[in-house]
Amino acid sequence: MGAQVRFEDRAWQVTGLADGRVYLVAGDGATACVLAARLVAAPGFAVVDAPAAQPVTPVLWEAVPLEAQERALAWLRHIREVETGLPGGPGSGTPRPEYNPRAFTLAQREAAKARELAGLGWARVSRATVQRMRLVYGRQGLWGLVDKRHLRGPSPTGRTDERVVAAVLEALRRCRGRKKTTIRQVIELTERIVADTQGPHQVRLPARSSLYRLVKALADPAEPPGSAARTATAGGRAGGPPAALRPAERVQVATARLPVGAVGEDGTPVVVAVTAALDQASGCVLAAVLHPEQDGPVELSVLLAEMAVPRPLRPGWPALLEQAHAGGPARRLMSLPDRIEATASRPAAVPETLVLDRGPVSPRRT
């Protein structure tokens, strides 16, 4: 593709290969289609020893219509002639007088090329057009000479700010698998995401009606807002909630009795239990509180504080930790600095949904 060949005493450029046929274009715009077997066996056939076109990703090039490919390769020859004096590049012949770099400046050669192309019937070609095509070729190679109008298709986002589009996609991701989510809630979450990531009033949001259409266009048709997630990480029981897809999206709170002996502050034996918060998406224990087993409900405020507030940020915690270590045994599994570092590195998590088991746990005061 893009090779310079000589066939029937003319110079051609290969613009396409399909079904054993070779598509050619000449410098004056003439085109030809020849069987590959006949081309290589023709008298005088030769591959001209000249630089080929700059490479283009094959997938992108194949998506370009043949007419646009021929036009881009024709532009390539004309630009080479303007820059070097020869359509095939340096060493491919003798330059025509009006394109001789030694006799004319680059601007004069661009103007000469514009007059030549206008004489060949190329519409709306001026010196500025030739200069623009030459510069874009220098930046992007052959791909820059392709008329991108042949590649444009309808865009679901139109001219919407890409930051708003990214926020809508993030909002859809966060709401994925929630059966009661509405498009209005997705839009409100999008507005908060834009404000959090870009700053208040830094991005102009479209009208609510436009955002509604944008959410409908970007949502997966198989998983519109309000539908259950189809890519659950684990199978759930029929009619149950969809699986959590991100950390802290759904946190399971459960209480279990521990088969260990303990003595209360008054010296009497007590039965102890542990209330733990388990992240369903990652399987990590976010917090655990040890307490005496009781008939009444267990407050969740301490459990939420364990999850949401890192220990180093709690008032007086470093001093309490040092005091606890000072009165302990001489040998510990972890030193005080190591324990502080390990505790500080534990991430905080603010649960979006708490799922309580049927044990004695109540969300009172939360």
Side-chain angles (χ1 to χ4, degrees):
M1 189 75 69
Q4 307 286 333
V5 300
R6 190 156 192 84
F7 173 63
E8 294 184 348
D9 297 329
R10 291 185 70 177
W12 304 82
Q13 190 167 31
V14 178
T15 61
L17 301 169
D19 300 328
R21 293 187 294 271
V22 181
Y23 293 87
L24 305 172
V25 61
D28 57 1
T31 60
C33 178
V34 188
L35 290 173
R38 178 175 179 269
L39 177 66
V40 298
F45 170 79
V47 177
V48 179
D49 186 14
Q54 293 192 19
V56 179
T57 304
V59 175
L60 295 177
W61 184 252
E62 292 175 2
V64 179
L66 181 60
E67 181 181 355
Q69 292 182 5
E70 294 177 347
R71 181 85 169 188
L73 290 171
W75 264 116
L76 175 61
R77 293 179 58 83
H78 292 307
I79 289 172
R80 283 177 174 169
E81 187 170 28
V82 169
E83 292 181 339
T84 67
L86 300 169
S92 59
T94 303
R96 290 187 287 173
E98 61 270 28
Y99 298 110
N100 191 337
R102 297 182 178 180
F104 297 96
T105 64
L106 181 60
Q108 291 173 328
R109 300 197 301 272
E110 290 174 345
K113 180 58 67 176
R115 292 191 297 269
E116 177 186 353
L117 295 178
L120 293 175
W122 289 37
R124 294 180 294 181
V125 177
S126 62
R127 175 187 170 272
T129 304
V130 176
Q131 183 186 52
R132 176 175 57 82
M133 297 298 286
R134 184 178 61 81
L135 294 176
V136 76
Y137 171 73
R139 294 192 302 268
Q140 303 178 19
L142 181 59
W143 182 249
L145 304 179
V146 175
D147 189 348
K148 304 304 188 298
R149 291 176 297 180
H150 295 281
L151 308 177
R152 293 176 184 171
S155 172
T157 60
R159 298 183 179 180
T160 307
D161 192 316
E162 60 182 10
R163 294 170 292 184
V164 178
V165 175
V168 171
L169 293 174
E170 174 62 18
L172 288 170
R173 186 191 68 81
R174 294 185 186 182
C175 296
R176 187 180 182 187
R178 297 186 181 182
K179 293 184 179 180
K180 296 184 179 180
T181 302
T182 63
I183 294 182
R184 179 179 178 180
Q185 291 173 329
V186 175
I187 292 176
E188 292 174 351
L189 180 56
T190 298
E191 294 172 344
R192 292 200 300 270
I193 293 174
V194 171
D196 293 342
T197 57
Q198 307 298 330
H201 311 296
Q202 295 299 315
V203 177
R204 183 177 181 180
L205 294 172
R208 279 294 182 98
S209 58
S210 300
L211 283 174
Y212 184 92
R213 291 191 296 268
L214 183 62
V215 171
K216 296 282 287 184
L218 293 178
D220 187 345
E223 296 182 37
S227 65
R230 299 171 60 247
T231 56
T233 56
R237 59 186 178 181
L245 302 178
R246 59 185 180 276
E249 177 184 2
R250 188 175 295 105
V251 177
Q252 183 80 34
V253 178
T255 300
R257 179 178 178 178
L258 296 181
V260 296
V263 178
E265 295 181 355
D266 56 359
T268 59
V270 295
V271 179
V272 294
V274 61
T275 299
L278 179 68
D279 180 44
Q280 290 188 357
S282 62
C284 295
V285 177
L286 300 179
V289 176
L290 189 68
H291 57 86
E293 189 178 40
Q294 55 191 28
D295 297 332
V298 175
E299 298 288 353
L300 290 182
S301 56
V302 177
L303 194 67
L304 291 173
E306 289 284 338
M307 287 187 284
V309 182
R311 285 183 180 270
L313 298 182
R314 302 177 191 179
W317 181 81
L320 291 175
L321 183 61
E322 291 180 3
Q323 183 179 1
H325 272 253
R331 182 178 182 183
R332 291 181 176 271
L333 296 178
M334 292 183 66
S335 64
L336 180 59
D338 292 339
R339 184 176 176 185
I340 294 177
E341 181 180 357
T343 306
S345 63
R346 193 189 76 176
V350 179
E352 299 178 18
T353 302
L354 287 176
V355 181
L356 309 180
D357 69 355
R358 296 184 180 180
V361 179
S362 173
R364 186 160 54 93
R365 296 185 185 175
T366 62

